[in-house]
Amino acid sequence: MDSDGCVYGLDHQARCLKAQLGDQERSRFFVGTQDYKHTNELHLIDFDEDESMITSHKIPHDHEIRAIAPSPTSAELVVTVYKEASKPAKACLWRLAVPDSDSMGKLKNDVGSMEAVTYFESAATSGPSDIEDILWDPSGSRNRLVARSKQSLGVYALKESASSATPTTTISIKPVDGTPRGAACASWNPHAEVIAAGVGSSVIGYDIRASTKVWSVSFNRFHDQLFLSAGSDCRVNLQSIISISSAPLSDVSSDNEDDEDRGYASRDEFGGGGKPTDGLVCTSDQHEDSVYAAEWSAADPWIFASVSYDGRVAVNLVPRDHKYKIIL
């Protein structure tokens, strides 16, 4: 990895991290802590690439945070999925008080507050069921969301001033591949009305208009030839899938000539000559516990963050030699 990244430590365990999508001027990420015995915290961290510095703004949160869903259009709105002892996991849309920052945009490492806007009722058709994740409509709609549980997807249409929301559509998720575990993860296709859910060893697409299945995959929002993977081996892998990327590759020599004409160093001077290929780009081994989330910055396509269960957040950059192989 490049040596330009840095590490931020939390006082509690954590397993969820998401980029703040509503403000794409700064590389900022939400991190939620998970502690059964103490008050938890929602951290907003800011990464300054020029100074390789992390600053933060933390907000007390009564219960352990299981998932985070920032609004794609508003920096002050975020949903947390949280768990209270002996009760099903719930979700709430919060409005954050605007955090203080200096003239350069860095956060002031202070403590803030938020107020509850809307609570989400479970999409379960029978018996209590944990909400495990919330997905915002990637088209930019501020009032449409989907809640994922293991057995169902619930589609919600938020109404102004409504303190609670019930699903307008419920889609059942049935076990496949002989496993009863249901959906473990899901992502909303940014180009279609389709939710891709990981069920067992399969990825199944659900058309949320017709409540039916199609197959689908989800790609990185900036450069779909790059994706992140992480897991219990404490590593974050940055991988390339250029063979199925939507981005065309240009002639390398002409790119180098253009760079030199503009006064930039050629790609070959950075060790990045040649076309990118499929395979592992690099591995980050900055974590000492299972890595539960890895997320791309909403402001910079070359910055990503990850969080491990021990509360360590690592922010890194795509290696420069690979960066110069990719068409911007």
Side-chain angles (χ1 to χ4, degrees):
M1 301 295 294
D2 282 359
S3 59
D4 300 304
C6 53
V7 173
Y8 172 79
L10 285 74
D11 294 330
H12 308 285
Q13 295 172 331
R15 65 168 69 193
C16 54
L17 173 148
K18 287 290 184 179
Q20 185 185 43
L21 303 177
D23 181 358
Q24 299 187 11
E25 297 299 320
R26 306 281 302 182
S27 289
R28 289 182 172 177
F29 301 87
F30 285 107
V31 187
T33 67
Q34 186 177 30
D35 193 315
Y36 292 102
K37 298 181 180 180
H38 302 92
T39 298
N40 285 275
E41 297 165 340
L42 180 66
H43 289 245
L44 177 62
I45 66 171
D46 177 280
F47 176 64
D48 188 294
E49 181 182 357
D50 294 332
E51 299 185 20
S52 192
M53 175 187 297
I54 289 178
T55 53
S56 68
H57 178 78
K58 64 182 180 180
I59 303 165
H61 192 286
D62 286 339
H63 307 295
E64 58 166 324
I65 302 173
R66 294 289 185 90
I68 303 170
S71 165
T73 57
S74 175
E76 64 180 7
L77 296 177
V78 62
V79 176
T80 63
V81 178
Y82 57 91
K83 175 73 172 175
E84 190 175 355
S86 303
K87 295 183 179 180
K90 301 178 181 179
C92 180
L93 172 63
W94 307 91
R95 188 182 306 277
L96 310 182
V98 178
D100 290 331
S101 58
D102 63 21
S103 59
M104 301 301 293
K106 299 186 187 71
L107 297 172
K108 293 190 174 181
N109 296 312
D110 58 0
V111 178
S113 62
M114 59 187 181
E115 62 175 347
V117 177
T118 305
Y119 290 92
F120 295 86
E121 297 184 14
S122 172
T125 55
S126 62
S129 177
D130 286 343
I131 293 177
E132 297 197 347
D133 200 5
I134 293 285
L135 309 173
W136 287 84
D137 184 344
S139 69
S141 172
R142 294 185 57 170
N143 66 348
R144 198 163 63 129
L145 304 93
V146 167
R148 173 186 62 82
S149 68
K150 289 191 181 301
Q151 294 78 32
S152 63
L153 298 172
V155 183
Y156 295 79
L158 297 184
K159 297 179 181 178
E160 287 190 29
S161 74
S163 61
S164 64
T166 56
T168 57
T169 303
T170 301
I171 303 170
S172 296
I173 297 176
K174 296 182 179 180
V176 296
D177 301 331
T179 175
R181 290 175 294 181
C185 58
S187 182
W188 195 323
N189 188 320
H191 306 296
E193 297 286 282
V194 172
I195 301 291
V199 184
S201 59
S202 300
V203 177
I204 301 176
Y206 294 88
D207 188 327
I208 61 175
R209 296 165 301 180
S211 304
T212 57
K213 299 179 183 179
V214 305
W215 288 93
S216 179
V217 293
S218 180
F219 298 98
N220 177 271
R221 56 184 272 124
F222 297 107
H223 301 287
D224 61 11
Q225 59 265 62
L226 296 178
F227 72 97
L228 301 167
S229 63
S232 59
D233 61 358
C234 311
R235 296 174 180 269
V236 178
N237 293 322
L238 172 61
Q239 307 199 48
S240 171
I241 48 172
I242 192 65
S243 61
I244 57 173
S245 169
S246 63
L249 290 174
S250 71
D251 181 76
V252 175
S253 61
S254 64
D255 288 339
N256 285 345
E257 291 171 1
D258 290 342
D259 284 344
E260 291 165 359
D261 289 342
R262 297 187 182 100
Y264 302 146
S266 71
R267 296 183 181 188
D268 287 331
E269 290 184 38
F270 291 110
K275 296 180 179 180
T277 57
D278 286 0
L280 181 67
V281 176
C282 62
T283 297
S284 168
D285 57 1
Q286 296 163 295
H287 295 287
E288 298 178 356
D289 206 339
S290 296
V291 182
Y292 276 91
E295 182 82 0
W296 293 98
S297 165
D300 190 319
W302 310 115
I303 294 174
F304 60 92
S306 53
V307 62
S308 51
Y309 189 60
D310 58 1
R312 176 176 291 191
V313 178
V315 183
N316 283 292
L317 289 79
V318 174
R320 186 167 55 177
D321 60 344
H322 193 82
K323 173 180 175 180
Y324 281 96
K325 294 179 181 179
I326 297 176
I327 300 302
L328 297 176

